[in-house]
Amino acid sequence: MNGSDIIVEDAMTKDVVIAKPNDLVSNIAKLMSEKEIGSVIVVDENMYPLGIVTEGDIVRNVIAEDKDPKTTVAKDVMTTPVITITDDIELSSAARLMAVKHIKKLCIVSLDGKLKGIMTEGDVIKHAGYLINLFR
């Protein structure tokens, strides 16, 4: 890889923490705390992304709504549809999409739509030097 061809696959997080649509929000929150992450991707039984549950979703859709996290499930609070891209996209294009859509995370999928990874703001920041050099 030279300095001009970083693609999403080179920068994404491959070890994605997932949840199922009927997982309890309380369990998702515990998982997020244990893993020190701010979101989980909600997938179906075939690993197709259905949505994303973020810390903000839990605050807005559970706590602020006085819902019980021990009875509320992921599918009722997740953000959907989740924005997806394939891992062969250039990092600069992914970062631009995140900026345009005002999102902090992108779901990375294979050509057949199955979950492969996640691109977070942190992943982009790790490659900020590369991105800055694109504009020089």
Side-chain angles (χ1 to χ4, degrees), residues 4-19:
S4 64
D5 62 358
I6 292 181
I7 58 172
V8 167
E9 183 178 33
D10 299 328
M12 71 184 189
T13 299
K14 293 178 178 135
D15 187 20
V16 184
V17 179
I18 61 168

PDB file of all heavy atoms in Angstrom, residues 4-19:
ATOM      1  N   SER A   4      -1.269   6.779  -1.309  1.00  0.00           N
ATOM      2  CA  SER A   4      -2.391   7.346  -2.045  1.00  0.00           C
ATOM      3  C   SER A   4      -3.550   6.385  -2.257  1.00  0.00           C
ATOM      4  O   SER A   4      -4.464   6.697  -2.996  1.00  0.00           O
ATOM      5  CB  SER A   4      -1.901   7.851  -3.402  1.00  0.00           C
ATOM      6  OG  SER A   4      -1.432   6.767  -4.172  1.00  0.00           O
ATOM      7  N   ASP A   5      -3.516   5.238  -1.619  1.00  0.00           N
ATOM      8  CA  ASP A   5      -4.585   4.285  -1.910  1.00  0.00           C
ATOM      9  C   ASP A   5      -5.159   3.616  -0.661  1.00  0.00           C
ATOM     10  O   ASP A   5      -5.501   2.450  -0.697  1.00  0.00           O
ATOM     11  CB  ASP A   5      -4.098   3.234  -2.897  1.00  0.00           C
ATOM     12  CG  ASP A   5      -2.940   2.398  -2.368  1.00  0.00           C
ATOM     13  OD1 ASP A   5      -2.476   2.645  -1.243  1.00  0.00           O
ATOM     14  OD2 ASP A   5      -2.508   1.496  -3.093  1.00  0.00           O
ATOM     15  N   ILE A   6      -5.314   4.365   0.414  1.00  0.00           N
ATOM     16  CA  ILE A   6      -5.941   3.780   1.596  1.00  0.00           C
ATOM     17  C   ILE A   6      -7.427   3.588   1.298  1.00  0.00           C
ATOM     18  O   ILE A   6      -8.120   4.501   0.868  1.00  0.00           O
ATOM     19  CB  ILE A   6      -5.746   4.666   2.840  1.00  0.00           C
ATOM     20  CG1 ILE A   6      -4.278   4.684   3.248  1.00  0.00           C
ATOM     21  CG2 ILE A   6      -6.608   4.159   3.995  1.00  0.00           C
ATOM     22  CD1 ILE A   6      -3.976   5.516   4.476  1.00  0.00           C
ATOM     23  N   ILE A   7      -7.877   2.370   1.505  1.00  0.00           N
ATOM     24  CA  ILE A   7      -9.292   2.063   1.339  1.00  0.00           C
ATOM     25  C   ILE A   7      -9.884   1.727   2.702  1.00  0.00           C
ATOM     26  O   ILE A   7      -9.156   1.514   3.682  1.00  0.00           O
ATOM     27  CB  ILE A   7      -9.518   0.920   0.323  1.00  0.00           C
ATOM     28  CG1 ILE A   7      -8.791  -0.361   0.752  1.00  0.00           C
ATOM     29  CG2 ILE A   7      -9.104   1.350  -1.079  1.00  0.00           C
ATOM     30  CD1 ILE A   7      -9.123  -1.584  -0.098  1.00  0.00           C
ATOM     31  N   VAL A   8     -11.184   1.678   2.743  1.00  0.00           N
ATOM     32  CA  VAL A   8     -11.889   1.429   3.999  1.00  0.00           C
ATOM     33  C   VAL A   8     -11.395   0.155   4.676  1.00  0.00           C
ATOM     34  O   VAL A   8     -11.213   0.126   5.895  1.00  0.00           O
ATOM     35  CB  VAL A   8     -13.414   1.399   3.750  1.00  0.00           C
ATOM     36  CG1 VAL A   8     -14.160   0.840   4.941  1.00  0.00           C
ATOM     37  CG2 VAL A   8     -13.914   2.789   3.404  1.00  0.00           C
ATOM     38  N   GLU A   9     -11.149  -0.894   3.912  1.00  0.00           N
ATOM     39  CA  GLU A   9     -10.695  -2.157   4.501  1.00  0.00           C
ATOM     40  C   GLU A   9      -9.416  -1.968   5.319  1.00  0.00           C
ATOM     41  O   GLU A   9      -9.214  -2.640   6.323  1.00  0.00           O
ATOM     42  CB  GLU A   9     -10.466  -3.206   3.413  1.00  0.00           C
ATOM     43  CG  GLU A   9     -10.056  -4.557   3.992  1.00  0.00           C
ATOM     44  CD  GLU A   9      -9.881  -5.622   2.922  1.00  0.00           C
ATOM     45  OE1 GLU A   9      -9.469  -5.290   1.797  1.00  0.00           O
ATOM     46  OE2 GLU A   9     -10.161  -6.783   3.225  1.00  0.00           O
ATOM     47  N   ASP A  10      -8.561  -1.038   4.895  1.00  0.00           N
ATOM     48  CA  ASP A  10      -7.304  -0.787   5.598  1.00  0.00           C
ATOM     49  C   ASP A  10      -7.501  -0.002   6.889  1.00  0.00           C
ATOM     50  O   ASP A  10      -6.606   0.022   7.730  1.00  0.00           O
ATOM     51  CB  ASP A  10      -6.344   0.003   4.698  1.00  0.00           C
ATOM     52  CG  ASP A  10      -6.002  -0.748   3.421  1.00  0.00           C
ATOM     53  OD1 ASP A  10      -5.948  -1.996   3.455  1.00  0.00           O
ATOM     54  OD2 ASP A  10      -5.804  -0.083   2.383  1.00  0.00           O
ATOM     55  N   ALA A  11      -8.627   0.655   7.036  1.00  0.00           N
ATOM     56  CA  ALA A  11      -8.830   1.552   8.174  1.00  0.00           C
ATOM     57  C   ALA A  11      -9.964   1.138   9.103  1.00  0.00           C
ATOM     58  O   ALA A  11     -10.026   1.596  10.233  1.00  0.00           O
ATOM     59  CB  ALA A  11      -9.097   2.968   7.645  1.00  0.00           C
ATOM     60  N   MET A  12     -10.849   0.276   8.654  1.00  0.00           N
ATOM     61  CA  MET A  12     -12.041  -0.058   9.442  1.00  0.00           C
ATOM     62  C   MET A  12     -11.707  -0.947  10.638  1.00  0.00           C
ATOM     63  O   MET A  12     -10.659  -1.584  10.699  1.00  0.00           O
ATOM     64  CB  MET A  12     -13.071  -0.767   8.565  1.00  0.00           C
ATOM     65  CG  MET A  12     -12.700  -2.179   8.164  1.00  0.00           C
ATOM     66  SD  MET A  12     -13.939  -2.870   7.046  1.00  0.00           S
ATOM     67  CE  MET A  12     -13.402  -4.578   6.972  1.00  0.00           C
ATOM     68  N   THR A  13     -12.627  -0.994  11.571  1.00  0.00           N
ATOM     69  CA  THR A  13     -12.565  -1.925  12.691  1.00  0.00           C
ATOM     70  C   THR A  13     -13.266  -3.199  12.244  1.00  0.00           C
ATOM     71  O   THR A  13     -14.435  -3.167  11.851  1.00  0.00           O
ATOM     72  CB  THR A  13     -13.264  -1.327  13.932  1.00  0.00           C
ATOM     73  OG1 THR A  13     -12.583  -0.120  14.299  1.00  0.00           O
ATOM     74  CG2 THR A  13     -13.269  -2.303  15.091  1.00  0.00           C
ATOM     75  N   LYS A  14     -12.536  -4.302  12.282  1.00  0.00           N
ATOM     76  CA  LYS A  14     -13.085  -5.562  11.776  1.00  0.00           C
ATOM     77  C   LYS A  14     -13.812  -6.362  12.858  1.00  0.00           C
ATOM     78  O   LYS A  14     -14.688  -7.161  12.551  1.00  0.00           O
ATOM     79  CB  LYS A  14     -11.967  -6.402  11.160  1.00  0.00           C
ATOM     80  CG  LYS A  14     -11.412  -5.737   9.912  1.00  0.00           C
ATOM     81  CD  LYS A  14     -10.262  -6.508   9.303  1.00  0.00           C
ATOM     82  CE  LYS A  14      -9.814  -5.789   8.042  1.00  0.00           C
ATOM     83  NZ  LYS A  14      -8.422  -5.646   7.882  1.00  0.00           N
ATOM     84  N   ASP A  15     -13.452  -6.152  14.104  1.00  0.00           N
ATOM     85  CA  ASP A  15     -14.065  -6.877  15.214  1.00  0.00           C
ATOM     86  C   ASP A  15     -15.282  -6.091  15.694  1.00  0.00           C
ATOM     87  O   ASP A  15     -15.204  -5.319  16.644  1.00  0.00           O
ATOM     88  CB  ASP A  15     -13.048  -7.062  16.341  1.00  0.00           C
ATOM     89  CG  ASP A  15     -13.564  -7.938  17.453  1.00  0.00           C
ATOM     90  OD1 ASP A  15     -14.519  -8.710  17.231  1.00  0.00           O
ATOM     91  OD2 ASP A  15     -13.021  -7.843  18.572  1.00  0.00           O
ATOM     92  N   VAL A  16     -16.411  -6.279  15.009  1.00  0.00           N
ATOM     93  CA  VAL A  16     -17.615  -5.506  15.281  1.00  0.00           C
ATOM     94  C   VAL A  16     -18.441  -6.188  16.369  1.00  0.00           C
ATOM     95  O   VAL A  16     -18.675  -7.396  16.325  1.00  0.00           O
ATOM     96  CB  VAL A  16     -18.478  -5.378  14.010  1.00  0.00           C
ATOM     97  CG1 VAL A  16     -19.682  -4.496  14.265  1.00  0.00           C
ATOM     98  CG2 VAL A  16     -17.646  -4.853  12.860  1.00  0.00           C
ATOM     99  N   VAL A  17     -18.887  -5.386  17.317  1.00  0.00           N
ATOM    100  CA  VAL A  17     -19.781  -5.892  18.356  1.00  0.00           C
ATOM    101  C   VAL A  17     -21.199  -5.783  17.815  1.00  0.00           C
ATOM    102  O   VAL A  17     -21.611  -4.727  17.333  1.00  0.00           O
ATOM    103  CB  VAL A  17     -19.608  -5.098  19.668  1.00  0.00           C
ATOM    104  CG1 VAL A  17     -20.553  -5.617  20.731  1.00  0.00           C
ATOM    105  CG2 VAL A  17     -18.162  -5.190  20.147  1.00  0.00           C
ATOM    106  N   ILE A  18     -21.912  -6.897  17.892  1.00  0.00           N
ATOM    107  CA  ILE A  18     -23.253  -6.958  17.303  1.00  0.00           C
ATOM    108  C   ILE A  18     -24.307  -7.267  18.359  1.00  0.00           C
ATOM    109  O   ILE A  18     -23.998  -7.729  19.459  1.00  0.00           O
ATOM    110  CB  ILE A  18     -23.327  -8.014  16.180  1.00  0.00           C
ATOM    111  CG1 ILE A  18     -23.018  -9.408  16.737  1.00  0.00           C
ATOM    112  CG2 ILE A  18     -22.412  -7.643  15.025  1.00  0.00           C
ATOM    113  CD1 ILE A  18     -23.356 -10.545  15.782  1.00  0.00           C
ATOM    114  N   ALA A  19     -25.543  -7.012  17.959  1.00  0.00           N
ATOM    115  CA  ALA A  19     -26.703  -7.385  18.771  1.00  0.00           C
ATOM    116  C   ALA A  19     -27.761  -7.922  17.812  1.00  0.00           C
ATOM    117  O   ALA A  19     -27.692  -7.703  16.599  1.00  0.00           O
ATOM    118  CB  ALA A  19     -27.237  -6.180  19.529  1.00  0.00           C
TER     119      ALA A  19
END
